[in-house]
């Protein structure tokens, strides 16, 4: 039996953006099939927006007991996750990360795939703000 892995939830205003970032992040780790990562994108009607139900369901899906890292794209996605955390709607050990959406997601999935704990996953994702392109 393998040790539990940190779960990752990617919250975006767009379902297709969230799903694409999940595909990119897992693809760049060679599939990372051992990392539970789920997209929670779009509003309740499937359009643009955020859904507390989708976020809650995604967090419960990826929770293996090692913590859940949540990365949100912007604005109301962040506020929705904060509200869910304040109301204890998300699994114990869930943390909203202050990380860029794409780069942070890749860093989080790559780090989680090594068996790292939530603190290390969070540090890697949050460090992605320092990545320079030029």
């Amino acid at each position: 039996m393998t040790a539990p892995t940190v779960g990752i939830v990617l919250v975006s205003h767009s379902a297709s953006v969230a799903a694409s970032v999940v595909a990119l992040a897992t693809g760049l780790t060679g599939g990372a099939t051992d990392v539970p990562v789920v997209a929670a994108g779009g509003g309740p009607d499937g359009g643009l927006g955020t859904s507390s139900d989708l976020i809650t369901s995604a967090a419960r899906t990826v929770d293996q007991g090692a913590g859940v890292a949540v990365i949100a794209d912007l604005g109301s996605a962040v506020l929705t996750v904060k509200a869910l955390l304040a109301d204890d709607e998300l699994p114990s050990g869930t943390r909203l990360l202050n990380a860029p959406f794409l780069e942070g997601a890749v860093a989080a999935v790559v780090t989680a795939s090594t068996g790292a704990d939530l603190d290390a996953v969070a540090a890697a994702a949050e460090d992605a703000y320092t990545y320079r392109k030029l």
Side-chain angles (χ1 to χ4, degrees), residues 2 12 17 26 35 49 61-62 66-70 83 87-88 109 120 122 127-128 130:
T2 61
S12 174
V17 166
T26 57
V35 178
T61 298
V62 302
V68 176
V70 179
D87 292 340
D88 291 324
V109 172
D127 188 52
T130 66

Side-chain angles (χ1 to χ4, degrees), residues 45-120:
D45 62 355
L48 294 177
T50 56
S51 165
S52 57
D53 289 340
L54 285 175
I55 296 165
T56 301
S57 176
R60 290 179 181 153
T61 298
V62 302
D63 182 25
Q64 295 183 353
V68 176
V70 179
I71 302 174
D73 60 2
L74 44 92
S76 63
V78 174
L79 295 175
T80 302
V81 174
K82 284 183 171 183
L84 290 168
L85 286 167
D87 292 340
D88 291 324
E89 296 290 326
L90 300 177
S92 177
T94 298
R95 188 182 308 174
L96 175 60
L97 306 185
N98 184 23
F101 193 66
L102 175 60
E103 293 93 336
V106 171
V109 172
V110 167
T111 304
S113 72
T114 70
D117 66 11
L118 181 57
D119 288 337

Side-chain angles (χ1 to χ4, degrees), residues 31-49:
T33 56
D34 56 330
V35 178
V37 56
V38 173
D45 62 355
L48 294 177

